[in-house]
Amino acid sequence: MIWAIACIGLAAVAASVWRRQWIDAALVAVAALALALVCGEIALPVKPAATLDIDPKNPPHSLDGVAALRLKGDGLRAAQWDDLPARPLAWDGAGTGGIALDFPRQLALGRMFVLTVHRPAGAPARLQLLAENGWVLSEAKGEGDLSVQWLPSVAEQLVLRARLLASDGSVIDEGPVPFRVSEAQPLRVQGRFGAPSFDLRVLDELLAGSNALLDWQISLGKALTRSETPREAIGEPNLLLVDAAWFEHATPAQRGAMLAQAEHGATLLILGANAADPAIWSRILQLDLKPQPDKATEGAPLAMSVAPFNPSEHGPWHAAGKLLWTRQWHMGRIGWLGAADWHRYAISDPHALALWWQSTLDALGVTRAEPVEWLAPDEMPLPGQRLEVCARGVKGTAVFPGLRQKLAWQRRPDRVDASCVAVWPQKSGWLQVESPDSDASSAVYIFAPADWREWQAQERRHATARYAARTPVAAQGFPAALPRWPFAVVFALAMLALWWRERR
């Protein structure tokens, strides 16, 4: 096409020159050149975009005109990277090692508080959990990850301290450990038992001591039943408790009603110590029971006696811990507890027995419905840094009295069923947050910049690695093309001028 335009243009110019029409020859040359530029494509030289060196103490707010980034050190926090568009990142000098802390920010009274420090395996270290007055509450030694635990005695807002020490006693890292202990919603339990036992008596006392609502019935004979009614309306129970004797002697209607509750979301736990008819369990629940050795025990630190019949991990049933097997039952779950004679520890070690029962219910998946669930921050909150406060079950507005701010909850597509607000705390300490429309409140602890430096460095390295993965290679750009519309206008004007001269 370009060659054809050039040949025709040269011929027209030559004809105009032969007739000594110099102006026409110039107009034809201009028109031919403009038409060739319209049909062709001319690339403009592109100025290479700049590479920006990032200062972690003063991160950029915009990357306009920046094609790539260069960084040394541990990098930026996740909240800072999220404010920047994706660019190729050359990252040099990233630190090594580091630690990460794992602990619950909210805890129900009666539950064990566990702090775990994740660290690379290697040199031995010592982890200490300290009270506010400096007393050592718990201590752990070893290599790799370390965990300490402590049982709070009252519902309150706590700021303990922890420190990680090297083998020579030097401090590797230390800082506050904030969490809130709250009164939990009482567990709603419906119990039906076919034979009295010391185990049931101890279990009744444990559940009553945990403030559970109990609907309790024990058959003492053919026409004699001991009942315990809840102190308030129980509604839909969280936990259904039956012993194997009740299930085996219940009518089909009674068994069907119990299984229907589990089918609609309740958790059914069967105490298998007095099972005597394996055929019923195989037919109704696909539970294949096998005889167990006499006087067998299993578990630690509490050695529980093994029930006469226990299942194997077969079909829909799966082991969920020592002497516990579970299966899904439509929207709920069914569990088989193959332990017996746990009443032996009610006097010798009542605290360990309560923890064993709590771990059993946790493994079974028994939950207490909370109207509002406050989510832990994705990274350590710091003063002057953006903080996202998220919760499930909230509506309306969020109020921060310490910041004198009132913000509307906003849904987040990356958080299932949760709503969030963003704030910039100005100082360390507890930051209170209230949701008046949901009748709920909580608090987020803001760490000081000097707290847990190794943990902060680890978080920055992980956030920087995630950002670098967004655009791992620089995009191969193409030079920009020269715009064509000005040459089309020149071609049209030249042709109009030639037409006008010919008509004159």
Side-chain angles (χ1 to χ4, degrees), residues 148-178:
V148 291
Q149 58 183 17
W150 176 67
L151 184 65
S153 57
V154 295
E156 59 181 336
Q157 198 165 264
L158 292 170
V159 182
L160 304 181
R161 289 195 67 84
R163 59 189 178 194
L164 185 64
L165 305 174
S167 57
D168 59 357
S170 60
V171 177
I172 300 175
D173 207 358
E174 64 178 339
V177 181

Side-chain angles (χ1 to χ4, degrees), residues 4-190:
I5 294 173
C7 293
I8 296 172
L10 288 175
V13 171
S16 298
V17 171
W18 183 73
R19 292 195 297 267
R20 297 182 180 274
Q21 297 174 345
W22 311 112
I23 297 178
D24 291 350
L27 290 173
V28 169
V30 170
L33 179 59
L35 183 59
L37 293 174
V38 170
C39 296
E41 184 173 345
I42 300 177
L44 293 176
V46 178
K47 180 182 179 180
T51 297
L52 179 64
D53 289 314
I54 292 184
D55 180 8
K57 297 181 180 180
N58 187 24
H61 300 289
S62 174
L63 296 181
D64 293 340
V66 176
L69 303 175
R70 189 165 44 238
L71 173 67
K72 291 185 179 181
D74 296 319
L76 307 181
R77 292 163 48 84
Q80 296 170 317
W81 284 123
D82 290 343
D83 292 336
L84 300 176
R87 294 289 188 273
L89 175 64
W91 186 19
D92 300 326
T96 58
I99 65 172
L101 270 65
D102 183 13
F103 62 93
R105 268 61 169 186
Q106 299 186 60
L107 190 71
L109 184 62
R111 304 298 297 272
M112 185 69 71
F113 173 78
V114 179
L115 167 67
T116 300
V117 173
H118 301 283
R119 56 187 293 268
R126 182 159 44 107
L127 176 63
Q128 292 181 336
L129 182 65
L130 309 175
E132 295 175 339
N133 59 5
W135 286 95
V136 178
L137 301 175
S138 182
E139 186 176 79
K141 301 178 182 179
E143 300 179 0
D145 296 349
L146 297 174
S147 294
V148 291
Q149 58 183 17
W150 176 67
L151 184 65
S153 57
V154 295
E156 59 181 336
Q157 198 165 264
L158 292 170
V159 182
L160 304 181
R161 289 195 67 84
R163 59 189 178 194
L164 185 64
L165 305 174
S167 57
D168 59 357
S170 60
V171 177
I172 300 175
D173 207 358
E174 64 178 339
V177 181
F179 62 98
R180 302 180 69 195
V181 182
S182 59
E183 295 283 355
Q185 292 288 331
L187 188 65
R188 303 187 300 273
V189 184
Q190 183 184 89

Side-chain angles (χ1 to χ4, degrees), residues 171-251:
V171 177
I172 300 175
D173 207 358
E174 64 178 339
V177 181
F179 62 98
R180 302 180 69 195
V181 182
S182 59
E183 295 283 355
Q185 292 288 331
L187 188 65
R188 303 187 300 273
V189 184
Q190 183 184 89
R192 299 292 183 264
F193 309 101
S197 70
F198 290 111
D199 285 346
L200 292 182
R201 179 178 176 182
V202 170
L203 180 57
D204 187 2
E205 293 173 354
L206 285 174
L207 292 173
S210 66
N211 202 33
L213 300 176
L214 301 178
D215 178 6
W216 208 257
Q217 293 183 10
I218 302 176
S219 298
L220 304 178
K222 290 185 177 180
L224 184 60
T225 301
R226 184 178 74 83
S227 299
E228 181 177 346
T229 57
R231 60 184 180 274
E232 59 184 74
I234 194 172
E236 293 294 330
N238 306 105
L239 176 63
L240 305 172
L241 275 173
V242 301
D243 62 357
W246 181 91
F247 195 90
E248 291 176 354
H249 297 102
T251 65

Side-chain angles (χ1 to χ4, degrees), residues 345-364:
Y345 297 102
I347 297 177
S348 63
D349 204 343
H351 178 64
L353 179 62
L355 293 179
W356 177 79
W357 259 108
Q358 186 62 64
S359 63
T360 300
L361 296 181
D362 290 342
L364 186 60

Side-chain angles (χ1 to χ4, degrees), residues 212-484:
L213 300 176
L214 301 178
D215 178 6
W216 208 257
Q217 293 183 10
I218 302 176
S219 298
L220 304 178
K222 290 185 177 180
L224 184 60
T225 301
R226 184 178 74 83
S227 299
E228 181 177 346
T229 57
R231 60 184 180 274
E232 59 184 74
I234 194 172
E236 293 294 330
N238 306 105
L239 176 63
L240 305 172
L241 275 173
V242 301
D243 62 357
W246 181 91
F247 195 90
E248 291 176 354
H249 297 102
T251 65
Q254 290 174 319
R255 283 197 295 260
M258 184 70 70
L259 294 176
Q261 288 180 286
E263 181 178 338
H264 289 89
T267 302
L268 171 61
L269 178 60
I270 301 166
L271 310 179
N274 53 15
D277 189 354
I280 289 181
W281 303 100
S282 178
R283 184 177 70 253
I284 299 177
L285 297 179
Q286 298 82 47
L287 184 61
D288 188 16
L289 295 180
K290 301 295 183 182
Q292 302 297 306
D294 293 337
K295 298 182 180 180
T297 60
E298 189 172 346
L302 298 183
M304 293 293 177
S305 299
V306 177
F309 293 94
N310 271 336
S312 57
E313 193 169 354
H314 176 72
W317 290 86
H318 302 281
K322 296 294 184 181
L323 302 177
L324 178 65
W325 292 262
T326 64
R327 67 161 295 176
Q328 198 70 25
W329 189 262
H330 300 281
M331 296 177 61
R333 291 174 66 84
I334 300 178
W336 175 278
L337 183 60
D341 298 334
W342 58 74
H343 65 272
R344 296 179 291 121
Y345 297 102
I347 297 177
S348 63
D349 204 343
H351 178 64
L353 179 62
L355 293 179
W356 177 79
W357 259 108
Q358 186 62 64
S359 63
T360 300
L361 296 181
D362 290 342
L364 186 60
V366 180
T367 58
R368 298 170 173 86
E370 298 286 349
V372 174
E373 179 186 0
W374 298 92
L375 305 183
D378 289 335
E379 60 181 346
M380 181 192 301
L382 291 175
Q385 301 289 340
R386 188 182 65 204
L387 167 66
E388 288 186 349
V389 179
C390 299
R392 293 190 179 100
V394 291
K395 59 182 180 180
T397 58
V399 179
F400 295 86
L403 301 177
R404 298 181 180 179
Q405 291 186 0
K406 184 177 182 181
L407 305 171
W409 290 108
Q410 297 182 358
R411 299 299 297 270
R412 286 285 301 272
D414 57 335
R415 291 181 178 268
V416 179
D417 299 330
S419 300
C420 303
V421 292
V423 293
W424 279 259
Q426 300 302 316
K427 60 181 181 180
S428 59
W430 287 106
L431 176 64
Q432 300 295 325
V433 52
E434 301 171 357
S435 182
D437 299 313
S438 308
D439 193 23
S441 63
S442 184
V444 181
Y445 188 82
I446 311 302
F447 292 83
D451 294 337
W452 296 113
R453 291 191 177 275
E454 290 293 321
W455 187 19
Q456 291 189 47
Q458 181 86 316
E459 286 190 337
R460 290 197 298 269
R461 287 197 290 270
H462 288 170
T464 304
R466 290 193 298 269
Y467 177 85
R470 290 166 59 183
T471 310
V473 180
Q476 298 297 323
F478 296 94
L482 194 67
R484 302 181 184 184

